[in-house]
């Protein structure tokens, strides 16, 4: 077990509908929290390119997100860029569920 991992309460499972995303700020860092059919996922909160868009404003389509500024698409599950392979992948973080609550593990 990695003792550096610190679970942070995000909220209740029911706070987020399937197919949606919300921003979660922790220690002045943004995270984008996604709920899709296969569960909860988290990526870095701001996109990589110069626009640094909030990914909580992304469109969610299945397991893909579409950046609200540049329109690039990324996998919500792996963080990999889909539409433009020159784009760096998004950082992803583990999200766990316990007692109807969701936790970010960073
Ligand atoms: S802000 Fe440019 S790819 Fe997202």
């Amino acid at each position: 077990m990695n003792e550096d991992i610190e679970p942070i309460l995000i909220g209740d499972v029911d706070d987020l509908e399937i197919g949606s995303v919300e921003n979660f700020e922790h220690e002045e860092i943004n995270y984008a929290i996604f709920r899709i059919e296969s569960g909860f996922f988290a990526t870095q909160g701001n996109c990589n390119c110069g626009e640094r868009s909030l990914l909580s404003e992304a469109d969610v389509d299945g397991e893909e997100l579409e950046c609200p500024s540049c329109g690039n698409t990324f996998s919500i599950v792996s963080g990999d860029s889909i539409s433009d392979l020159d784009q760096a992948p998004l950082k992803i973080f583990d999200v766990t569920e316990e007692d109807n609550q969701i936790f970010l593990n960073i």
Side-chain angles (χ1 to χ4, degrees):
M1 184 165 161
N2 184 348
E3 293 182 359
D4 294 338
I5 291 182
E6 169 198 348
I8 299 150
L9 178 62
I10 299 170
D12 291 342
V13 164
D14 296 337
D15 290 346
L16 211 53
E17 288 179 17
I18 292 174
S20 66
V21 53
E22 283 200 3
N23 193 62
F24 177 69
E25 191 181 324
H26 176 70
E27 294 184 347
E28 299 183 17
I29 297 175
N30 290 317
Y31 301 87
I33 312 298
F34 294 84
R35 184 176 189 187
I36 58 177
E37 287 287 349
S38 49
F40 290 91
F41 296 86
T43 67
Q44 62 193 62
N46 294 83
C47 205
N48 283 327
C49 88
E51 301 287 332
R52 305 274 305 144
S53 292
L54 275 176
L55 292 171
S56 54
E57 294 172 4
D59 281 335
V60 177
D61 181 12
E63 294 190 346
E64 283 183 32
L65 69 89
E66 181 178 323
C67 171
S69 292
C70 304
N72 289 316
T73 56
F74 297 86
S75 165
I76 292 166
V77 177
S78 69
D80 289 340
S81 177
I82 295 168
S83 59
D84 177 358
L85 299 180
D86 290 338
Q87 288 282 330
L90 300 174
K91 286 194 195 96
I92 55 170
F93 302 91
D94 186 45
V95 179
T96 48
E97 281 180 58
E98 198 178 318
D99 297 333
N100 216 36
Q101 294 184 310
I102 52 173
F103 297 84
L104 179 65
N105 302 290
I106 55 175

